[in-house]
Amino acid sequence: MTRPRQLADMPSLTATVPRQLVHRAALAETFLTGWRRTGADRFTVSAQWPRAHGLHVSPDWSAYDPLLVVETIRQSGTLISHAEYEVPLDQQFVLQEFRVATEPWALTLGPRPAEPEVELAFTDVQYRGRRPVGARYTAQVLRDGTRVATADVSFTCVGEPVYRRLRGGRTADTVTAVPVPPGVPTDAVDRALPTDVVLAPTGRPDRWQLRVNTAHPVFFDHPLDHVPGMLLLEGARQAALLETSGKRVPTAYHAVFHRYAELDGPVWIEVRGTLGAGVQVFGVQGESTVFECLVGTAGS
């Protein structure tokens, strides 16, 4: 018997990988669906991107945001670290550097959720004894065989006792975030909801306070004792849009993370000039730079 056409055209059913392997609490924020080893230190990870998402899809549902690519690559590296390199699940990952460049024309939405593949090559895997303590990996994101993005990522990982010593006793239960100030207009940063605006004006055109709302279901998918890297990158994205008056769209990020951004003190996002088509963004807390990011842009 021939299957009805509408059923034959449906993609096969699938499931996400265990959310613990990508450090996510919500299934809706788990974008990976599987993986396989393709060679020595080489892997292919499959993913599915939703057609609607509060942050990672444009307000008009026409395009995926490059930060969805970033999160997919981050999840891919974490998955492979746990599943293939046997990094224990209680390890804390410390992101050091993240460089990614995307092809905006390849991020348009179609009539079905996109199902990209991420090709990973792990290089410079560092061990202490038999346990990995850090690595660098490169990634290519392919959508229907077409390259969507390339990336280079480095991270370290530490056990819970070491992490707690590094954090000086700070936990999600003992640290209270600073009050969230009013944000800039939503349309200035291409966001539909005021709760997704992460920058607050300071009276200076090149400096904003990062709005750290620990109730945000994407940035704080689970309780944290520090400001997550994806929130810092979103701050850099919005700063680049404000700096260019929305005329140039962020398409690439080269971020270096120097130290944890703490919840209980204000974080300032500063633009300190441009370099070619890029906007130089810094995150500052107290007297310290917590991260720096060159945001590559495209447009008029």
Side-chain angles (χ1 to χ4, degrees), residues 7 9 23 59 66 110 122 125 143 161 207 214 220 256 270 280:
L7 293 181
D9 289 343
H23 297 187
F122 270 66
V125 181
R143 182 181 180 186
R207 190 173 195 253
T214 57
F220 291 88
V256 178
E270 300 177 356
Q280 294 179 308

Side-chain angles (χ1 to χ4, degrees), residues 34 45 63 74 94 140 175 182 195 200-201 254 256 275 279:
V45 176
R74 183 205 67 78
V94 183
Q140 285 197 95
V175 177
T195 48
H254 181 191
V256 178
L275 183 63
V279 178

Side-chain angles (χ1 to χ4, degrees), residues 93-140:
F93 284 62
V94 183
L95 193 60
Q96 296 180 314
E97 184 175 9
F98 206 119
R99 184 196 299 260
V100 62
T102 67
E103 301 288 351
W105 60 268
L107 293 177
T108 56
L109 257 73
R112 294 174 179 160
E115 297 191 338
E117 289 192 327
V118 185
E119 296 182 346
L120 300 176
F122 270 66
T123 61
D124 190 27
V125 181
Q126 303 163 23
Y127 291 87
R128 181 172 294 123
R130 299 178 61 184
R131 177 169 296 179
V133 294
R136 178 178 292 273
Y137 64 90
T138 60
Q140 285 197 95

Side-chain angles (χ1 to χ4, degrees), residues 92-205:
Q92 299 288 331
F93 284 62
V94 183
L95 193 60
Q96 296 180 314
E97 184 175 9
F98 206 119
R99 184 196 299 260
V100 62
T102 67
E103 301 288 351
W105 60 268
L107 293 177
T108 56
L109 257 73
R112 294 174 179 160
E115 297 191 338
E117 289 192 327
V118 185
E119 296 182 346
L120 300 176
F122 270 66
T123 61
D124 190 27
V125 181
Q126 303 163 23
Y127 291 87
R128 181 172 294 123
R130 299 178 61 184
R131 177 169 296 179
V133 294
R136 178 178 292 273
Y137 64 90
T138 60
Q140 285 197 95
V141 182
L142 304 176
R143 182 181 180 186
D144 299 325
T146 299
R147 189 169 69 185
V148 171
T150 58
D152 190 302
V153 184
S154 64
F155 67 92
T156 59
C157 44
V158 297
E160 188 70 16
V162 174
Y163 179 76
R164 286 299 158 215
R165 288 198 297 272
L166 290 174
R167 299 299 292 131
R170 290 174 179 268
T171 69
D173 294 329
T174 62
V175 177
T176 301
V178 298
V180 181
V184 301
T186 55
D187 57 355
V189 292
D190 194 30
R191 287 299 179 221
L193 300 176
T195 48
D196 292 334
V197 173
V198 304
L199 298 183
T202 64
R204 280 178 45 180

Side-chain angles (χ1 to χ4, degrees), residues 14-32:
T14 189
T16 62
V17 301
R19 53 195 170 85
Q20 295 88 343
L21 295 180
V22 297
H23 297 187
R24 280 290 169 258
L27 292 176
E29 297 302 321
T30 303
F31 302 126
L32 308 185

